[in-house]
Amino acid sequence: MHVDIGAALASVADPGVERATLDDLDERVAAAHDRIERGRDDDEFGYASLNLPEATDADAIRDAVAPVADAESVITVGIGGSALGAKTITEALAEDPDSHVVLDNVDPEHVRRTLDGLSLEETAINVVSRSGTTAETLANFLVVREAYEDRGVDWTERIVVTTGESGPLRALADQHDLPTLPVPEGVPGRFSALSAVGLVPPAILGIDIEGLLAGGQKAANDLAPSLYDSPAYAYGAMAYALEEEGAQVNAVMPYAERLESFGEWFAQLWAESLGKDGRGQTPARALGATDQHSQLQLYRAGHRDKVVTFVRPRERADVAIPDPDHEDLSYLAGTDLGGLIDAEYEATVASLPAADRPALEVEIDRLDAESVGELLYAMEAACVLVGELAEVETFTQPAVEWGKNATRALIRGEETEETAVIDDRERLRIGETESL
Ligand SMILES: O=P(O)(O)OC[C@H]1O[C@H](O)[C@H](O)[C@@H](O)[C@@H]1O
């Protein structure tokens, strides 16, 4: 992975980071690296995430999926960290982009339409929940099961479950004698893409999961005590320093359709890990080149509270642009779509410092298993570094847990501290007579 931080230096951007600030920060990066390495050595909660490439047993995943390896598609039932890693990986690497369907919402119409559109005989079910208690996942699992039964397909023969040692999902898996894989110890869901949590659908779809792990391992080996020697830490240190300078929004803009879900995965990683103690960058999602024609206006000319992170593969398969039969289009003659998107990338990156706004660049060699594994690991390491520098509890998510508890209490009809807050919340209804 390659990171270019030049377009976010104070000499060209505001907010921007002075070279001297970066040099000072480098000492803190060294200390943070030391802390991270100690955490990894001791397999401490959270830090153990950065040991996944070597801790993950690819053979065990292949064995568990063997009974469903003939499936043409996979439906994942999971949410957040139990869905986005697999979604990102299959979107980036699967031959057929429609071969992995993710049910990570309980919008009834969406669930019904998704199931109606699938040939369930050919579809494997991947149910994932670290806690085994998440309401959306359990509810969707029950709905999916029934859909298989209604179509006369034995769901117990088409399923792989990944979950913790206890909880309702584990109990159901035991009850029906389903093939299960464990979630890795000490690894929060959003850091678990390079484990069974993220690798079951890729394994079923024939993606090179060993390559993904090798890429992750390469990024692990590239961590070093100086930001100038480590692309992952260079990105993390700059994101931290830019937030200190006022860049409270981090807009991630991949220039590849196959990396669109990467933005979603990154958003969870960044928000849930770093949104604490009144701080943390707000992740925004954009897609190049499409959003050059919409959001870019704001990024170049809106509040000075953003950094744009550009992401692209350096090599990609290409499509030639046919010779145009109109004089005004002659500039396209002899070019291809890859050349066009790269030109758009270069122009847009440069357009930000030209408007005195910061940009960070993250490039991978190409969209293959190694590079994607490297990208995911490096961003996780960057996130852990930011957490160390900002002195927040990177690996917890108490604010999210509040909503989960409140939802469960509402559904059960219980009265709890959370439901009291819901009952008492301020309302100012407009358009309804009772508000008058
Ligand atoms: O894997 P599960 O236990 O079902 O949790 C799924 C998701 O639930 C919550 O929203 C957590 O805050 C997320 O971090 C987690 O990824």
Side-chain angles (χ1 to χ4, degrees):
M1 194 179 90
H2 319 271
V3 169
D4 191 333
I5 61 175
L9 294 173
S11 50
V12 295
D14 176 17
V17 183
E18 299 282 355
R19 284 298 300 259
T21 307
L22 220 43
D23 291 344
D24 290 346
L25 189 58
D26 205 30
E27 285 178 28
R28 292 178 60 204
V29 170
H33 175 64
D34 201 43
R35 170 69 189 93
I36 292 167
E37 290 303 296
R38 262 186 293 120
R40 289 181 64 196
D41 287 346
D42 299 342
D43 264 331
E44 244 181 272
F45 180 76
Y47 299 95
S49 311
L50 297 180
N51 292 334
L52 275 186
E54 50 188 341
T56 297
D57 185 347
D59 291 340
I61 296 172
R62 293 229 177 264
D63 287 348
V65 307
V68 293
D70 60 333
E72 281 178 9
S73 55
V74 186
I75 183 163
T76 285
V77 180
I79 195 167
S82 287
L84 293 175
K87 186 177 176 187
T88 300
I89 291 169
T90 55
E91 183 185 275
L93 301 174
E95 266 178 43
D96 173 3
D98 297 325
S99 58
H100 185 204
V101 174
V102 178
L103 278 188
D104 59 356
N105 200 349
V106 282
D107 176 335
E109 285 180 347
H110 173 69
V111 172
R112 176 57 51 216
R113 286 161 61 113
T114 302
L115 290 171
D116 286 351
L118 284 173
S119 163
L120 299 183
E121 299 76 16
E122 317 290 339
T123 306
I125 313 167
N126 171 49
V127 186
V128 191
S129 175
R130 153 170 284 287
S131 61
T133 61
T134 303
E136 294 90 335
T137 301
L138 273 292
N140 274 337
F141 174 37
L142 297 175
V143 171
V144 168
R145 257 169 56 168
E146 191 178 68
Y148 274 69
E149 279 164 11
D150 288 350
R151 283 199 233 165
V153 185
D154 184 354
W155 60 270
T156 64
E157 298 289 319
R158 311 300 293 152
I159 192 166
V160 180
V161 174
T162 302
T163 192
E165 285 304 307
S166 59
L169 183 56
R170 167 62 64 175
L172 282 172
D174 290 346
Q175 190 182 320
H176 293 281
D177 201 18
L178 307 176
T180 57
L181 283 161
V183 294
E185 277 288 309
V187 180
R190 57 189 174 277
F191 288 91
S192 63
L194 296 177
S195 75
V197 173
L199 296 180
V200 166
I204 295 172
L205 297 174
I207 291 168
D208 176 13
I209 60 172
E210 291 79 3
L212 282 155
L213 293 169
Q217 192 56 50
K218 179 182 180 308
N221 298 341
D222 284 348
L223 297 180
S226 168
L227 71 93
Y228 298 112
D229 295 328
S230 169
Y233 286 163
Y235 180 79
M238 281 301 281
Y240 167 78
L242 285 162
E243 185 190 350
E244 293 287 285
E245 297 296 332
Q248 293 180 6
V249 176
N250 188 344
V252 174
M253 192 163 180
Y255 272 64
E257 291 275 337
R258 284 161 60 191
L259 288 176
E260 191 171 11
S261 293
F262 166 76
E264 218 181 323
W265 173 86
F266 179 91
Q268 183 195 8
L269 180 74
W270 224 243
E272 223 176 16
S273 303
L274 305 172
K276 287 160 195 165
D277 304 337
R279 56 175 305 146
Q281 283 182 322
T282 302
R285 282 162 31 206
L287 182 68
T290 314
D291 287 318
Q292 276 174 224
H293 303 275
S294 60
Q295 300 176 33
L296 187 62
Q297 174 66 36
L298 177 73
Y299 299 156
R300 286 196 81 205
H303 290 291
R304 289 184 182 278
D305 62 351
K306 297 172 208 53
V307 54
V308 181
T309 298
F310 292 90
V311 185
R312 74 163 164 181
R314 282 186 168 175
E315 291 169 24
R316 56 176 119 213
D318 220 334
V319 172
I321 300 175
D323 277 343
D325 47 5
H326 191 290
E327 204 182 310
D328 290 352
L329 296 179
S330 57
Y331 71 97
L332 290 174
T335 62
D336 43 46
L337 295 181
L340 182 55
I341 199 168
D342 280 337
E344 305 218 49
Y345 173 95
E346 297 291 351
T348 309
V349 174
S351 78
L352 285 158
D356 199 22
R357 312 294 169 120
L360 292 170
E361 285 179 89
V362 175
E363 291 178 290
I364 55 175
D365 290 336
R366 61 194 73 78
L367 274 169
D368 64 8
E370 284 80 5
S371 294
V372 171
E374 191 182 358
L375 176 67
L376 296 180
Y377 185 99
M379 286 304 182
E380 289 177 17
C383 179
V384 176
L385 177 77
V386 177
E388 295 299 321
L389 297 173
E391 297 179 9
V392 295
E393 277 197 24
T394 308
F395 304 114
T396 60
Q397 57 285 326
V400 178
E401 305 292 353
W402 193 97
K404 274 178 113 163
N405 294 337
T407 305
R408 263 196 299 270
L410 275 185
I411 294 279
R412 287 182 182 141
E414 291 171 357
E415 285 182 23
T416 65
E417 229 175 89
E418 287 92 355
T419 59
V421 171
I422 297 166
D423 290 341
D424 295 345
R425 80 178 175 89
E426 194 76 56
R427 290 182 193 273
L428 178 54
R429 287 193 156 120
I430 311 296
E432 292 185 44
T433 39
E434 66 262 36
S435 70
L436 298 175

